[in-house]
Amino acid sequence: NAGVMQNPRHLVRRRGQEARLRCSPMKGHSHVYWYRQLPEEGLKFMVYLQKENIIDESGMPKERFSAEFPKEGPSILRIQQVVRGDSAAYFCASSPPTGGETQYFGPGTRLLVL
Amino acid sequence: AQSVTQPDIHITVSEGASLELRCNYSYGATPYLFWYVQSPGQGLQLLLKYFSGDTLVQGIKGFEAEFKRSQSSFNLRKPSVHWSDAAEYFCARRDNYGQNFVFGPGTRLSVLP
């Protein structure tokens, strides 16, 4: 049973470009969470999704950031017009349909904005 | 706001010595509590979790943690540290009102040979 998969593992973008991060949850999991980890800091919650629904986006910046979890395919975190401050590690976690008692994390995508 | 604090930013211990990493949480209702470990450049691996019941929980890699309601603490312990335990350790709680996790800032563990 494969764990949570994220790709790419590393992503380099220039200011103003778009970054698209993908997350495939563990098999059988239908809840996906995105977190951001700035250098030397802990993880901060961004958004919680179920299939085709955004449940909680209270941690998402109001502009440039969006997330989706379509019926088919991975969850996508999209950052438009990236700025240097977006450089961080972005982690995806998933949990089973029974709820979020335990979240299982992917290896992360490390975004560097030049 | 709900929070998780880890008072120690960086701890250094000698290999074979005992270890205790501190974690405190805010807000009283019994939370779901977790410890994760992150090796450099890697994702987070779950060490152990507490939901209810026995306040001393055993995890992987020889770690254990004790929930103390009176102190709002969930400290992580290991009786004998190995060099491979050098990593960043995060305490987390599940949000009382939602599904997301609230993480502490982390404690970086260095192990001396």
Side-chain angles (χ1 to χ4, degrees), chain A:
Chain A
N1 184 15
V4 178
M5 300 177 68
Q6 291 186 248
N7 66 84
R9 295 290 304 275
H10 299 273
L11 183 61
V12 180
R13 286 288 179 266
R14 296 191 181 279
R15 283 180 295 170
Q17 292 184 319
E18 178 179 284
R20 191 172 292 209
L21 289 62
R22 286 175 289 276
C23 169
S24 296
M26 288 179 70
K27 186 177 181 180
H29 287 192
S30 58
H31 298 218
V32 166
Y33 314 79
W34 286 94
Y35 294 82
R36 177 166 61 177
Q37 183 181 32
L38 295 171
E40 307 299 323
E41 294 187 15
L43 280 71
K44 298 289 194 287
F45 168 75
M46 299 181 74
V47 62
Y48 161 42
L49 310 101
Q50 296 179 19
K51 283 286 187 181
E52 300 185 279
N53 284 304
I54 296 175
I55 307 302
D56 180 357
E57 56 182 349
S58 59
M60 286 277 271
K62 293 290 185 279
E63 299 177 346
R64 303 187 297 107
F65 284 72
S66 62
E68 62 178 8
F69 188 17
K71 185 176 180 180
E72 301 292 336
S75 175
I76 306 287
L77 178 68
R78 182 183 296 127
I79 311 172
Q80 296 178 301
Q81 300 176 330
V82 295
V83 300
R84 287 210 175 115
D86 297 332
S87 296
Y90 292 83
F91 289 95
C92 170
S94 72
S95 66
T98 50
E101 287 84 6
T102 302
Q103 295 182 11
Y104 298 89
F105 283 80
T109 294
R110 282 148 183 86
L111 172 65
L112 176 63
V113 179
L114 301 177

Side-chain angles (χ1 to χ4, degrees), chain B residues 57-77:
Chain B
V57 294
Q58 302 296 322
I60 62 171
K61 303 185 178 186
F63 286 93
E64 66 178 26
E66 185 171 13
F67 171 66
K68 292 185 177 179
R69 183 189 300 278
S70 61
Q71 299 177 20
S72 297
S73 69
F74 188 56
N75 294 349
L76 182 71
R77 301 195 295 249

